[in-house]
Amino acid sequence: MKIIRTTAEMQAFSNAQREAQKHIAFVPTMGYFHDGHLELMRAGKRCADILVISIFVNPTQFSPNEDLQAYPRDFDRDCTLAQEVGVDVVFAPENDAMYPNGFQTFVAVEKLTQNLCGRYRPQHFRGVTTVCAKLFNIIKPHTVIFGKKDYQQLAAISRMLTDLNMDIELVGMPIVREANGLAMSSRNTYLNATERKSALALSHSLREARSFFLRGENNAQECIMLVRSIIDGYSHTAIDYIQICETKNFTDIATITQGSLLALAVKVGKTRLIDNYVFGEELNLP
Ligand code: AMP
């Protein structure tokens, strides 16, 4: 497995692979791997000749009051796990390589990033789409793989690929959960033992929302009230948002139908967790 630190070397590597007719799959990450990340890599391995991943904690997607400095990092462990999955290249640039002096160009998907996490993290999606556009230009993948845990992010990337005519296939992978239902996240490492129990509020409430819909109920406000009451029943939880929306522009809806999205952001202690459920889909929960 190669570790590449510079954009020039990465571009040269990818150019050579493309000239040799190799199909490149790419999984962007901020590192501190869990099985959610590894599942994306396994999917990349299945569909491509060359699997490139990036590890880059992207400063432009963090607000000044967020956890950029504290974000968990363990490069050596990540490389061991990536190697076990069969990753060919880890692209791990320094900040200066990605954002040299004079950098001033941003990519923003304007509409669908207004609601949900975009309301609470105003510059977040602009940072995500900018870094992904840069990474796609550096790595030149044929296929990119993202997780549905960050559902709005996946939609923003999809929109960007379409709007900017980027000739890249996008694959969205299901949410990977721990045995108890907690959606895997690098940020789960912030949780202490008590908070870990409270973090089950999210998946518990999704399960009840699914049952609500399966009973034939479809009133979004009633479903949101149900979800709120479940989450409020757990200690150390503070709700950022519980919303039910359509998945084109992420506009709130009054009536739930198949394909509507229930999205949650909840602080457990100081840790902000997100989770979601698409009505009508399976929910792999205990
Ligand atoms: P991150 O390192 O948090 O930026 O995530 C990198 C990629 O992994 C993104 O496409 C995420 O959506 C995806 N991801 C993170 N957690 C999970 C999970 N529990 N299940 C599936 N994909 C995930």
Side-chain angles (χ1 to χ4, degrees):
M1 188 176 76
K2 268 171 103 70
I3 295 170
I4 297 182
R5 298 271 181 194
T6 68
T7 57
E9 190 186 345
M10 189 67 240
Q11 281 173 320
F13 176 90
S14 290
N15 286 341
Q17 298 304 324
R18 279 186 163 255
E19 271 162 34
Q21 306 294 322
K22 302 288 186 196
H23 187 107
I24 303 173
F26 171 46
V27 178
T29 83
M30 299 206 300
Y32 211 72
F33 293 154
H34 49 69
D35 210 45
H37 294 114
L38 302 181
E39 272 299 297
L40 306 190
M41 295 177 207
R42 290 182 192 113
K45 201 65 204 158
R46 286 193 295 271
C47 76
D49 303 309
I50 297 291
L51 175 58
V52 180
I53 66 164
S54 61
I55 299 178
F56 181 61
V57 183
N58 173 37
T60 62
Q61 70 190 67
F62 288 78
S63 300
N65 60 342
E66 291 182 341
D67 57 344
L68 174 63
Q69 297 310 326
Y71 196 85
R73 292 161 170 90
D74 190 340
F75 186 71
D76 292 343
R77 175 176 167 276
D78 284 351
C79 285
T80 304
L81 292 170
Q83 191 152 26
E84 282 168 14
V85 176
V87 168
D88 297 291
V89 177
V90 177
F91 178 56
E94 299 294 339
N95 279 352
D96 290 352
M98 293 298 279
Y99 298 110
N101 275 341
F103 182 89
Q104 54 188 288
T105 305
F106 289 85
V107 178
V109 174
E110 296 195 341
K111 233 182 188 163
L112 70 77
T113 61
Q114 295 299 310
N115 203 359
L116 306 181
C117 281
R119 266 171 62 209
Y120 290 83
R121 307 183 71 190
Q123 298 301 313
H124 173 69
F125 287 113
R126 185 179 87 137
V128 169
T129 40
T130 299
V131 80
C132 285
K134 286 172 65 66
L135 289 167
F136 297 171
N137 284 333
I138 295 163
I139 290 155
K140 306 170 196 258
H142 299 86
T143 303
V144 290
I145 301 145
F146 286 77
K148 291 185 180 170
K149 163 143 182 295
D150 301 273
Y151 202 95
Q152 196 177 11
Q153 166 175 287
L154 175 65
I157 298 297
S158 173
R159 192 73 244 174
M160 175 182 80
L161 293 177
T162 302
D163 289 353
L164 298 185
N165 306 90
M166 292 178 166
D167 189 12
I168 297 174
E169 174 198 28
L170 174 63
V171 175
M173 294 291 289
I175 300 175
V176 177
R177 299 176 180 280
E178 293 181 8
N180 62 13
L182 177 64
M184 290 191 182
S185 165
S186 306
R187 288 191 168 97
N188 290 349
T189 188
Y190 297 146
L191 302 169
N192 64 31
T194 322
E195 290 167 345
R196 279 194 154 262
K197 289 189 188 133
S198 293
L200 295 178
L202 286 85
S203 53
H204 178 186
S205 71
L206 295 183
R207 193 169 56 226
E208 295 305 317
R210 177 172 180 267
S211 305
F212 173 93
F213 184 62
L214 287 178
R215 284 198 296 275
E217 311 253 19
N218 63 6
N219 183 299
Q221 274 316 314
E222 283 174 17
C223 185
I224 288 169
M225 276 163 53
L226 169 70
V227 168
R228 181 177 296 281
S229 70
I230 292 165
I231 294 173
D232 284 343
Y234 285 78
S235 56
H236 312 292
T237 56
I239 294 165
D240 258 7
Y241 67 77
I242 303 165
Q243 288 179 250
I244 298 179
C245 56
E246 46 77 32
T247 55
K248 191 156 179 277
N249 283 319
F250 293 86
T251 310
D252 292 347
I253 52 175
T255 306
I256 305 169
T257 57
Q258 296 255 348
S260 302
L261 176 77
L262 166 60
L264 313 176
V266 178
K267 288 207 186 75
V268 178
K270 288 190 174 141
T271 306
R272 186 175 184 279
L273 302 177
I274 58 172
D275 205 341
N276 67 73
Y277 173 60
V278 176
F279 290 97
E281 292 196 353
E282 279 307 304
L283 189 55
N284 52 341
L285 282 177

